Amino acid sequence: MKKVWITLLVTVLVFSAIGMAKTKITYFGDNDPNSAEAILTRLFNSSQDEIEVEFLLQSWSTDDKHTALVTRFGAKDPNPTVYLGDVIWPAEFAAAGWALDLTPYFPKSEQDKFLPGTIKSATYLGKIYAIPSFTDGGLLYYRTDLLEKYGYKPPTTWEELKTIAATIAKKEGIDGFVFQGAQYEGLVCDAVEFIAANGGEVIDGNGNVKVNSPEVIQALEFMRELITSGAAPDKVFTFMEEDARMAFQQGNAVFMRNWPYCHSPSNMAGDQSAVKGKYGMIPMPKGPKGSGGAATLGGWMLFVNPFASKAEQAAGVQFAKFITSESAQIIRNLVAGNAPTRIAVYSNPTVLRANAIVETLYPIMINAVPRPVTPFYAQVSNALQEEFHAVLTGKKTAADAVKALERKIKEIYE
Ligand code: GLC
């Protein structure tokens, strides 16, 4: 009997020692409607017994996530150990010392397996600071049933989008085109898309401010016209991605500009979605001065916190590698519809069988247009958000807004 007790005691001690040896780390993951991030974190935790990751839910918008992290890093907080960061952050976070240099763990041979645009945006002054997890590009979602009912083909130009949206909206008593019009980063993405689709740009690759041009003015005027023509409802002044998704998914809009993730929830069966089987996804239309539609490059990547301890950093790197691995990207695509950053996933047979749209996504993602790359992006974005919103809501003319922007951006860059 004594022997049995001793064996039991030893077993308990060994197991608690293993338990104690676990490195506990924290992860600021994505608050996605499909819970892909939480699922992947659980999978990681159950796959091995050395690391335990606590998933910390963040608020939805990228601006709020940015504020939360900047506050923590300002205080050299070792948490979160790992965070999912926006494609627009690497330059700012690297320059500020808020992102661990991942170059030793993410060699060129591995980087070559990813879409080049995602690697470029994770790189700052020759070093790589994040591992891309999923990429984003703006898409036009449209109601196939309604366009057919009124005899329209899917739009490829701005004029077509405006006319079809305004006409069907009036006849059906629903919204025409919904997009991200609130004063936040999402509006910058939408505007950069309209600008690029009209052959314009805000800042060129060499840091020259190009915003005061006829192409940009016309693009901003068109965004305003969407409202004044009745093609878009003025409630978009407060719309973020999720507001637009709800409107579209509930059957209350003809068109929506949004990222690929909306496909999974909109495609749900039963009373979850009113539009299952009744919509398509195509590239955004082009402007009169442009040569084709454009998608803004969005997306999210895994960063490791340099204020975490060495052991936590090592565990964090392991977790980041798992989340961005080929199998995790396949799961993420199947669960959440996100566009992969790994090239191989676009031709994975399981993914293609379950999610044929991935084929449409590839050319859009590979050609997506980046937002300005600068350590001062947050300031540049604030200026863009303010001026674009003033034009959209009719408080300023597009010509005045681009003049103001030219001045503000030059001041930030000086
Ligand atoms: C998406 C994009 C991200 C962008 C944000 C704007 O999350 O992936 O890059 O900044 O939308 O709302």
Side-chain angles (χ1 to χ4, degrees):
M1 191 63 188
K2 202 173 164 191
K3 239 176 145 180
V4 176
W5 278 111
I6 291 173
T7 319
L8 257 176
L9 190 66
V10 170
T11 316
V12 168
L13 285 177
V14 168
F15 274 103
S16 46
I18 291 172
M20 277 165 62
K22 270 195 178 182
T23 309
K24 297 206 169 168
I25 60 171
T26 49
Y27 176 48
F28 253 44
D30 199 11
N31 187 2
D32 63 296
N34 307 297
S35 305
E37 288 268 294
I39 294 172
L40 286 173
T41 306
R42 274 204 300 276
L43 260 180
F44 177 80
N45 281 338
S46 58
S47 72
Q48 48 79 59
D49 47 33
E50 283 171 6
I51 302 166
E52 192 175 315
V53 182
E54 188 192 346
F55 183 79
L56 307 174
L57 207 60
Q58 305 183 72
S59 57
W60 165 258
S61 90
T62 180
D63 307 58
D64 291 347
K65 287 173 180 146
H66 182 264
T67 308
L69 287 170
V70 169
T71 310
R72 280 176 181 259
F73 296 147
K76 298 192 174 13
D77 193 333
N79 284 303
T81 325
V82 187
Y83 55 99
L84 187 76
D86 201 328
V87 70
I88 48 184
W89 298 350
E92 177 194 358
F93 281 35
W98 298 336
L100 189 70
D101 173 11
L102 297 181
T103 319
Y105 316 102
F106 190 28
K108 177 89 179 43
S109 54
E110 222 6 64
Q111 293 180 24
D112 286 346
K113 297 178 184 157
F114 289 69
L115 297 177
T118 66
I119 293 298
K120 206 169 161 208
S121 43
T123 306
Y124 180 64
L125 302 179
K127 291 181 178 160
I128 193 149
Y129 289 90
I131 313 182
S133 175
F134 64 93
T135 192
D136 262 337
L139 302 167
L140 185 68
Y141 288 71
Y142 71 99
R143 287 283 297 277
T144 44
D145 57 337
L146 293 180
L147 263 65
E148 203 173 300
K149 178 171 169 191
Y150 293 98
Y152 288 114
K153 287 206 181 73
T156 57
T157 66
W158 288 358
E159 272 317 302
E160 287 168 6
L161 171 67
K162 193 174 78 180
T163 310
I164 305 173
T167 312
I168 302 186
K170 211 164 167 200
K171 292 200 164 138
E172 292 286 319
I174 59 174
D175 293 331
F177 175 52
V178 291
F179 59 99
Q180 292 71 49
Q183 190 174 329
Y184 82 119
E185 186 59 33
L187 172 60
V188 175
C189 295
D190 289 29
V192 161
E193 237 152 52
F194 279 111
I195 291 169
N198 203 35
E201 59 187 341
V202 174
I203 299 171
D204 71 12
N206 300 318
N208 302 309
V209 184
K210 295 280 176 166
V211 74
N212 189 355
S213 75
E215 289 82 5
V216 177
I217 293 174
Q218 191 178 30
L220 298 180
E221 279 171 350
F222 177 71
M223 289 179 79
R224 173 67 189 154
E225 250 173 70
L226 284 168
I227 309 281
T228 53
S229 66
D234 59 10
K235 63 181 174 228
V236 298
F237 297 159
T238 61
F239 266 26
M240 295 196 194
E241 285 85 352
E242 282 292 85
D243 307 295
R245 175 176 74 81
M246 299 296 182
F248 189 79
Q249 194 170 323
Q250 286 161 3
N252 296 328
V254 187
F255 294 104
M256 164 175 76
R257 182 273 173 208
N258 221 321
W259 310 104
Y261 84 93
C262 295
H263 181 42
S264 285
S266 301
N267 201 30
M268 282 190 303
D271 53 11
Q272 311 246 44
S273 170
V275 295
K276 183 178 170 59
K278 295 184 188 165
Y279 69 94
M281 293 149 76
I282 49 173
M284 288 291 289
K286 72 179 171 93
K289 295 192 166 71
S291 53
T296 295
L297 176 69
W300 292 82
M301 28 189 78
L302 275 286
F303 292 73
V304 178
N305 181 350
F307 303 119
S309 71
K310 290 279 173 253
E312 289 162 349
Q313 286 178 13
V317 168
Q318 213 172 308
F319 178 65
K321 283 187 176 174
F322 169 82
I323 291 283
T324 55
S325 66
E326 195 168 325
S327 46
Q329 292 204 13
I330 292 171
I331 295 173
R332 183 192 274 290
N333 179 268
L334 297 178
V335 173
N338 295 132
T341 52
R342 284 183 179 269
I343 298 164
V345 182
Y346 285 90
S347 52
N348 179 281
T350 315
V351 166
L352 285 173
R353 240 191 332 271
N355 217 351
I357 189 72
V358 160
E359 257 177 318
T360 313
L361 295 183
Y362 186 74
I364 300 178
M365 299 305 144
I366 201 127
N367 292 315
V369 180
R371 281 160 278 172
V373 177
T374 156
F376 313 113
Y377 183 75
Q379 285 114 288
V380 172
S381 173
N382 275 338
L384 296 173
Q385 293 176 21
E386 204 180 319
E387 297 298 329
F388 291 163
H389 201 255
V391 178
L392 193 68
T393 51
K395 294 201 183 80
K396 235 183 190 177
T397 64
D400 283 347
V402 298
K403 265 187 231 134
L405 270 178
E406 188 174 38
R407 181 178 44 78
K408 288 185 187 177
I409 300 175
K410 281 185 176 161
E411 270 169 27
I412 296 168
Y413 267 59
E414 268 158 17

